[in-house]
Amino acid sequence: MKKDILNNLMNDNGADAVLLHSPQNRLWFTRFSSSLGYVLFSKNKTYLLIDGRYHTMAIESKELINVDEIINMNNASKQINELIQKLNIKKMIIESDWVYVNQFDSWSKIFKAKLIKTDTSKIRMIKDQWEIDQIRKACDITNLVFEKVLKNIKIGMSELEIARFVSNQFLELGAQKLSFDTIVASGEMNGSMPHATPSNRTIKEGDFVTLDMGCYVNGYCSDQTRTFAIGETINPKLIDIYQTVLESQQKGISALKEGISSGDIHKICFDYIESKGYGEYFTHGTGHGLGIEIHEEPYNAKNQTEILRAGMTVTVEPGIYIPGLGGVRIEDDLLVTKDGFEYLTTARRELIHIKG
Ligand SMILES: [Mn+2]
């Protein structure tokens, strides 16, 4: 399937090879992770060029797929150019969304093939079953961490302490690493900033706390946000915001299926929030694709026109943030299917009150 995607890319661009340089596209195609390396994909044969730090690891790897020959890389440009000549490559695709300008200039001088600058940011949009399984595993760990947070959080804990607790739990439960720095945003001030950095602020009765977190499993990530209440005495305006965000999210999720445009998912969520009078407080896009990267194509955001297809994995995460009052965001990861969607994240969505 991935070979088909690269073959189509070559045909669309009249090329006879693809050079993958970005860590995310190399991991996607080969399931082998390394900071540096190259995949040279041609009509008949695929080469992985990898330096001494990874060479043995690549040879011994049980996960490696789609590679015919592993080359010990010591002079990448020279070795790639030798392959270009040996395989008689005339036109080679390079990743215009990743390769630096100075790298391109140098390759243009050295390589005996015409370089076709091609945007590859959409080649990973549709996930295969193995990829979906890894994302699901990451989401399952995320739910376990969320339940641990709910059990262990106490009035007087700081946002930073909660973030540290989250990090430890992810690693103890078998995550490879966190997929991004955990966001813990509590109260009137931090809660009203969508991507607040955890601070020394301690949580207190009446707070809304927004927790945005995720982890990696086998190179694939999860991304989940929940807002919960501390105690029972909550400003009714916050309760109203919560219900509005939840209903907006449910409307957006229910609309997911093959054939709808990513921009429409945003519009459905936004229009509902606007109809309740909170339009000016929903200041970001509704969601994004996720997989090897935490934010990747397609984007469920304003003016986006990508048509969602079965196998895409996306978030739906509307929010409302009111300075001086606080904020709410509810985020799930979803698999788009032919007839609808499946939840990948499973954490409870109704408003949870924590007894401090
Ligand atoms: Mn997200």
Side-chain angles (χ1 to χ4, degrees):
M1 178 183 157
K2 288 169 183 170
K3 285 187 177 180
D4 294 339
I5 292 171
L6 292 190
N7 273 319
N8 289 339
L9 200 66
M10 288 198 309
N11 292 337
D12 291 348
N13 290 280
D16 43 15
V18 182
L19 183 66
L20 298 179
H21 179 35
S22 70
Q24 57 270 25
N25 283 342
R26 286 186 288 110
L27 174 60
W28 167 77
F29 192 69
T30 68
R31 288 192 199 158
F32 185 75
S33 175
S34 64
S35 57
L36 188 67
Y38 299 88
V39 171
L40 182 67
F41 175 84
S42 70
K43 289 222 159 71
N44 302 315
K45 207 167 166 185
T46 301
Y47 299 84
L48 173 65
L49 293 92
I50 203 91
D51 68 54
R53 295 170 298 166
Y54 300 102
H55 188 243
T56 310
M57 219 191 297
I59 289 170
E60 300 290 325
S61 172
K62 302 261 183 295
E63 282 82 36
L64 186 75
I65 54 167
N66 291 333
V67 171
D68 301 304
E69 190 177 331
I70 299 167
I71 294 179
N72 196 348
M73 181 172 88
N74 45 45
N75 185 338
S77 296
K78 182 167 169 273
Q79 289 169 303
I80 292 167
N81 199 40
E82 281 165 8
L83 289 173
I84 287 171
Q85 288 170 302
K86 181 174 136 189
L87 299 168
N88 197 22
I89 293 167
K90 299 273 177 260
K91 290 181 180 175
M92 183 168 73
I93 287 173
I94 59 161
E95 302 154 301
S96 65
D97 51 316
W98 188 259
V99 174
Y100 285 117
V101 174
N102 55 6
Q103 179 85 79
F104 175 77
D105 288 345
S106 151
W107 285 350
S108 300
K109 287 193 196 106
I110 297 168
F111 290 168
K112 301 273 181 262
K114 185 175 163 48
L115 302 182
I116 317 280
K117 290 182 253 180
T118 305
D119 187 344
T120 62
S121 60
K122 293 186 173 180
I123 63 174
R124 305 192 311 270
M125 283 197 300
I126 296 178
K127 274 69 181 175
D128 64 26
Q129 191 56 50
W130 186 87
E131 294 178 291
I132 294 163
D133 291 345
Q134 308 319 306
I135 297 172
R136 222 185 266 280
K137 283 181 207 163
C139 290
D140 287 346
I141 293 177
T142 307
N143 186 38
L144 293 176
V145 171
F146 182 60
E147 288 296 326
K148 293 232 174 192
V149 169
L150 296 178
K151 274 203 195 78
N152 288 278
I153 201 166
K154 287 187 179 57
I155 285 176
M157 273 176 96
S158 73
E159 294 172 348
L160 277 165
E161 283 176 290
I162 297 167
R164 202 151 52 228
F165 179 82
V166 165
S167 299
N168 292 339
Q169 292 302 318
F170 268 125
L171 297 178
E172 276 178 31
L173 288 164
Q176 182 185 352
K177 60 179 178 179
L178 270 64
S179 39
F180 55 91
D181 291 338
T182 303
I183 294 168
V184 184
S186 69
E188 302 86 357
M189 181 59 186
N190 279 357
S192 72
M193 298 188 280
H195 272 195
T197 313
S199 73
N200 284 315
R201 183 188 184 278
T202 53
I203 58 166
K204 56 179 175 33
E205 173 84 20
D207 276 352
F208 257 20
V209 180
T210 295
L211 173 60
D212 187 349
M213 61 184 186
C215 69
Y216 271 96
V217 170
N218 290 325
Y220 287 78
C221 62
S222 65
D223 187 7
Q224 172 189 299
T225 310
R226 288 292 182 273
T227 299
F228 47 85
I230 308 297
E232 299 294 333
T233 322
I234 305 294
N235 185 331
K237 280 187 207 154
L238 285 175
I239 305 282
D240 187 53
I241 290 175
Y242 192 93
Q243 290 311 326
T244 305
V245 171
L246 183 59
E247 280 161 37
S248 159
Q249 196 221 18
Q250 292 307 308
K251 284 179 190 300
I253 290 173
S254 308
L256 285 174
K257 68 173 200 176
E258 179 159 284
I260 192 165
S261 93
S262 54
D264 283 349
I265 300 299
H266 175 74
K267 192 173 180 332
I268 288 164
C269 291
F270 183 83
D271 286 354
Y272 182 76
I273 286 176
E274 194 176 41
S275 78
K276 296 289 174 180
Y278 296 115
E280 65 181 295
Y281 303 111
F282 177 19
T283 48
H284 54 73
T286 289
H288 51 84
L290 85 167
I292 290 174
E293 288 185 287
I294 186 72
H295 298 133
E296 58 182 41
E297 292 281 351
Y299 290 93
N300 297 327
K302 200 178 171 186
N303 299 330
Q304 293 287 313
T305 55
E306 190 67 39
I307 301 298
L308 299 186
R309 281 174 290 162
M312 290 185 179
T313 48
V314 297
T315 72
V316 176
E317 50 175 310
I320 296 175
Y321 316 89
I322 304 183
L325 181 65
V328 173
R329 179 167 64 258
I330 306 172
E331 172 182 34
D332 280 288
D333 305 342
L334 294 310
L335 169 67
V336 179
T337 65
K338 230 169 170 8
D339 312 309
F341 65 91
E342 284 173 29
Y343 277 105
L344 299 168
T345 38
T346 53
R348 293 184 267 161
R349 291 172 197 95
E350 77 281 4
L351 180 59
I352 296 164
H353 292 264
I354 290 179
K355 295 189 191 69

